[in-house]
Each structure stands twice: as structure tokens, then as C-alpha cells.
């Protein structure tokens, strides 16, 4: 048993201090110190409101504010000594405040509990993470749009089952990731919309008898409004779950892009080359260029999905309201925030940095009889064959080409006519990869003109949404 004295903050009814193991399992300061800026902002807003409402004196509020500013400086400058005995960030700061300003520090906790305090700190932190994720996604989208523009007409093979399927453009392929990232961005904004309520003032769980003004603190902290139910306020963590869900989906998208970069940069594919800035060498094989950044982006869902499942599991079945289980909400969210931000930055860097071997992509687009569908479509359009029959005729043409070890466009006309005598010279106009992509003009199709108009659409939409966000922030 430890001989420590009881806790200064809550130890009134305790005769002795905690066992070492108790302190070990209970303390969160090693990780929740990350919330110090939010904790100080929350306390300053609370103290100011208490003074405005006549609950504490202006002199006490001023001393509290100045003391908190000093603590903020001590922490940013690395001069603050965090103590495990003081358990968490809230009590570390409050205890230090008492050292600096004396007993009036004790008035700060009037009409407040650590339960609403941690809820507001964590919400502010997750809110900032969602906002910076939105910014990082926007930068990724811009990088993809720039590459799409450059490669609107670059022909590459499109794959299904990782087998060459039909020719597409690299610009169109980039735009597929723009669609995914834009949905991730819109999920960030949805989550921000629901998160934007302040739990501060819910106190321990039931609210308080002091005449506090929760609208005032909500506004001071940049929230749209206060939460409406005190019990929910201290027990809700779904804002963090939503962040993790957004992060897991975004990281999944990034992992697919990363996997394609890994595949495309192999010598066998040779579609792209990563610059030295985004490659590493091997310590034994001097010829190697390894796409480590892409591989690490591909791996990040391991941690981020883990964080989502972890918090869902912590929250599952918890009775209302606060339980200490909920202290386990933070570490993995912090890790997910950092992992996603790195993955987004690395993916954006790689996209901007890739050099594209357009010749190699184009040559590869013609492999694997990728214009077979174009031949079948020609038979339907020009000869009026039902598609199923055209499919069969084309299959025979592919078999002939395969036997002769040539591409479809190199099959002699007589060979094609031996399958169907009505086939004419005109068929060759659809057998090239350029003709194939140029013909795919259906809405959302891969034709270079479509790609250009989609890029214009996205640029306009991004500007419009950024303006809307800004005017929303101002109102
Ligand atoms: N460190 C705690 C947490 O992160 C703060 C809230 C403590 N509340 C309590 N009733 N013990 O959840």
C-alpha cells in the first residue's frame, strides 16, 4: 500500500492515498495532456461567464484568466511539470492554478464537473481534427485535379479483376479518386454539423442550480449552440465515433490509391515512377527503389479501423451517464487523427510528385484485346447483330488474334470476314485505344472531353463550397 496522502482535489472523504496500481490505471495525464489548449480555453470561457453572471467576482475571474494564460505558456514552452498524482489534464491545470493564484483557483470549478469539462475539451479537439481533415482532403482533391487535367487524354488500361478490361484515360482514373475524396470531405462536414454543440455546463450529469449561461460559453468556444440534455452531454462520444468512421473510410480510399501506386511503380507495370523524395532504397539490394510511403499509407487502415472498433467496443452497453470506461476514448482517436493526417499528406505528396510514363500506359492499354468490346459494339451498330451474338463473333476474333499472336487491330480483314462475311474495312476505326476512349462519351464515361468537363465541374464546386463554408463561419 502506498503511504500517499489523499487526493487534493477529491480526497476529502479518503483517509489514505491510492495504491500505486490504482494510480497507474487511473492516470490519463500521459495522453490527455494533448488536450491542454482546449482545457484552458474551456476554463477561460467558463470563468468569464461565471463572472458575467455574478457567480464569482470579476477579480477572481481576472486572476483565473491570467493564471491560465501563464499555464498555457508554461506548457507550450515545455516548462510545465505534469504529475501522475494529479491524474489528468484537468486536475494538473487546476492544481497549478492554485499554486499560482492561491485559493481563488478553487472557484473555477463552480457549476462544472470534470465530466462536462472532458466532454467539451474532447469535442473541441475532434472538431479541429475534422476541420483539418477537410483541409487536407481538399488539397488531395486539388492535386488529383491537376494530374487529371494534365492527363485528360493519356490512355491507360482500365482493369477489372486486375486484368486489362477496356482502355480508359489516366485523367478519368484520377477523377475516380476525386469522387471518393469529395465524399469523404462531405462526410467531414456532416460530422462537423452534428458535433457543433457545447456540453459545457451540463456539470456532473444533471445540470446545475447556479444561474449559468450556457449559450454564452457555447458561443465563446465557437460552438453553434449548447447541447440540450445534460445526461447525454456527459455520456455522448458519438462525435468521436463519427470522426473515426469518416477516418476509416477515407483511409480505406487512400489505401486503394496507395496499392495502385505500389503496383504501377513496379518494373513490370512501369506506369509511374516515384521521385527520390517518396522512395527508399534497400540496405542490401542497391538497385531497389521501394515505395515505402505508399505501403505505409496502404497500412494505415490497420490502426484507424482498430481505433473505430476499439471505441465502439468501449461505448457498447455503457449505462448513462459518465463511466470511467470513457477515459479510454482518447488515445486511439489521437492516433487515428495523426495517422490520417500523415496518410493524407503522403498521398497528396505522391500524387503531385509521380512521373507518369504515358507511352508505357498507352502500350499496355492495347494489350489483352482491350478493344474487344468496341468490336462487339461495332457489330451491333453497323451490322445490326444482337449484342449476345456480337459478343460471340468477337470472341472468335479474339481467339484468332491469340492464335496468331497479334492484337485485334492487326488481324487481316480476311480473317475477320471468315467469321462474319459482312465485316468491312471500316471496323478498324474502332479497334485502336484512342478511338475507344474517345467514343466513351456517355455521362461519367472516360472520353477526354468528359474528363475535362468533370474537372471544370469540380473546380467550380470546390470554390463554391469553400465560399459557403467561409460565409457560414462568419455568420
Ligand atoms: N480523465 C477523465 C476522462 O478522461 C476526466 C473525467 C473524470 N470524471 C470523473 N468523474 N472521474 O474521462
Amino acid at each position: 500500500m502506498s503511504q500517499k496522502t489523499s487526493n487534493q482535489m477529491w480526497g476529502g472523504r479518503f483517509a489514505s492515498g491510492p495504491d500505486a496500481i490504482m494510480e497507474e490505471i487511473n492516470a490519463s495525464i500521459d495522453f490527455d495532456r494533448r488536450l491542454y489548449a482546449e482545457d484552458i480555453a474551456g476554463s477561460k470561457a467558463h470563468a468569464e461567464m461565471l463572472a458575467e453572471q455574478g457567480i464569482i467576482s470579476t477579480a477572481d475571474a481576472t486572476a483565473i484568466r491570467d493564471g491560465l494564460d501563464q499555464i498555457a505558456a508554461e506548457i507550450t514552452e515545455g516548462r510545465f511539470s505534469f504529475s501522475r498524482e494529479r491524474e489528468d489534464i484537468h486536475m494538473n491545470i487546476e492544481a497549478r492554478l492554485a499554486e499560482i493564484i492561491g485559493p481563488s483557483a478553487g472557484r473555477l470549478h463552480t457549476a462544472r464537473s470534470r465530466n462536462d469539462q472532458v466532454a467539451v475539451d474532447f469535442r473541441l479537439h475532434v472538431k479541429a481534427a475534422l476541420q483539418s481533415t477537410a483541409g487536407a482532403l481538399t488539397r488531395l482533391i486539388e492535386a488529383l485535379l491537376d494530374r487529371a487535367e494534365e492527363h485528360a487524354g493519356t490512355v491507360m488500361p482500365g482493369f477489372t479483376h486486375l486484368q486489362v478490361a477496356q482502355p480508359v484515360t489516366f485523367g478519368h482514373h484520377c477523377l475516380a479518386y476525386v469522387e471518393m475524396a469529395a465524399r469523404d470531405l462531405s462526410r467531414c462536414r456532416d460530422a462537423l454539423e452534428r458535433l457543433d454543440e457545447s456540453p459545457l455546463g451540463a456539470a456532473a450529469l444533471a445540470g446545475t442550480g447556479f444561474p449559468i449561461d450556457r449559450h454564452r460559453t457555447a458561443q465563446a468556444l465557437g460552438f453553434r449552440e449548447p447541447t440540450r440534455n445534460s445526461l447525454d452531454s456527459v455520456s455522448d462520444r458519438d462525435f468521436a465515433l463519427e470522426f473515426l468512421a469518416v477516418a476509416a473510410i477515407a483511409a480505406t480510399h487512400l489505401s486503394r490509391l496507395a496499392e495502385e501506386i505500389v503496383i504501377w511503380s513496379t518494373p513490370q507495370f512501369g506506369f509511374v515512377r516515384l521521385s527520390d523524395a517518396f522512395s527508399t532504397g534497400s540496405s542490401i539490394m542497391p538497385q531497389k527503389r521501394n515505395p515505402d510511403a505508399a505501403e505505409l499509407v496502404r497500412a494505415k487502415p490497420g490502426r484507424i479501423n482498430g481505433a473505430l472498433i476499439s471505441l465502439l467496443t468501449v461505448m457498447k452497453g455503457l449505462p448513462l451517464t459518465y463511466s470511467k470506461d470513457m477515459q479510454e476514448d482518447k488515445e486511439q482517436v489521437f492516433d487515428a487523427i495523426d495517422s490520417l493526417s500523415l496518410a493524407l499528406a503522403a498521398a497528396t505528396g505522391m500524387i503531385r510528385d509521380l512521373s507518369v510514363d504515358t507511352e508505357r500506359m498507352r502500350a499496355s492499354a492495347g494489350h489483352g484485346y482491350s478493344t474487344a468490346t468496341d468490336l462487339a459494339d461495332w457489330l451491333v451498330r453497323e451490322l445490326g447483330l444482337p449484342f449476345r451474338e456480337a459478343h460471340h463473333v468477337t470472341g472468335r476474333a479474339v481467339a484468332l488474334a491469340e492464335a496468331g499472336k497479334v492484337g485485334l487491330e492487326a488481324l487481316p480483314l480476311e480473317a475477320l470476314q471468315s467469321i462474319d462475311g459482312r465485316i468491312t474495312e471500316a471496323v478498324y476505326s474502332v479497334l485502336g485505344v484512342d478511338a475507344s476512349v474517345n467514343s466513351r462519351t456517355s455521362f461519367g464515361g472516360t472520353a477526354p472531353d468528359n474528363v475535362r468537363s468533370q474537372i471544370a465541374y469540380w473546380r467550380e464546386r470546390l470554390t463554391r463550397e469553400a465560399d459557403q463554408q467561409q460565409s457560414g463561419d462568419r455568420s
Side-chain angles (χ1 to χ4, degrees), residues 54-116:
I55 301 167
I56 65 172
S57 71
T58 313
D60 282 340
T62 308
I64 288 171
R65 185 199 60 210
D66 294 347
L68 288 169
D69 284 341
Q70 180 182 327
I71 292 171
E74 288 175 2
I75 298 177
T76 12
E77 289 156 25
R79 290 185 282 114
F80 190 92
S81 75
F82 291 101
S83 129
R84 278 189 155 192
E85 242 170 277
R86 291 172 176 174
E87 250 179 77
D88 57 23
I89 188 62
H90 324 295
M91 296 203 294
N92 268 264
I93 289 178
E94 198 185 317
R96 176 71 188 129
L97 187 65
E99 287 168 6
I100 301 171
I101 70 170
S104 47
R107 300 197 184 277
L108 171 60
H109 217 49
T110 316
R112 185 178 78 169
S113 150
R114 274 190 294 156
N115 297 349
D116 59 338

Side-chain angles (χ1 to χ4, degrees), residues 10 26-28 31-32 35 87-90 113-115 118 237 322-330:
W10 47 251
N26 203 32
S28 54
F31 52 87
D32 68 13
L35 297 174
E87 250 179 77
D88 57 23
I89 188 62
H90 324 295
S113 150
R114 274 190 294 156
N115 297 349
V118 73
R237 293 293 181 272
Y322 180 85
S323 297
K324 196 63 176 254
D325 308 52
M326 290 163 70
Q327 178 167 287
E328 296 284 327
D329 60 359
K330 293 175 202 62

Side-chain angles (χ1 to χ4, degrees), residues 136 139-140 143-144 147 254 257 261 273-275 277-278 293 297 341-355:
R139 289 189 289 282
L140 173 66
L144 288 162
R147 296 319 300 261
L254 294 178
L257 174 62
I261 292 175
R273 186 179 162 93
L274 285 167
S275 72
F278 281 98
V297 171
S341 132
L342 252 178
L344 278 165
T348 306
M350 285 187 288
I351 287 298
R352 288 222 172 270
D353 190 76
L354 280 180
S355 57

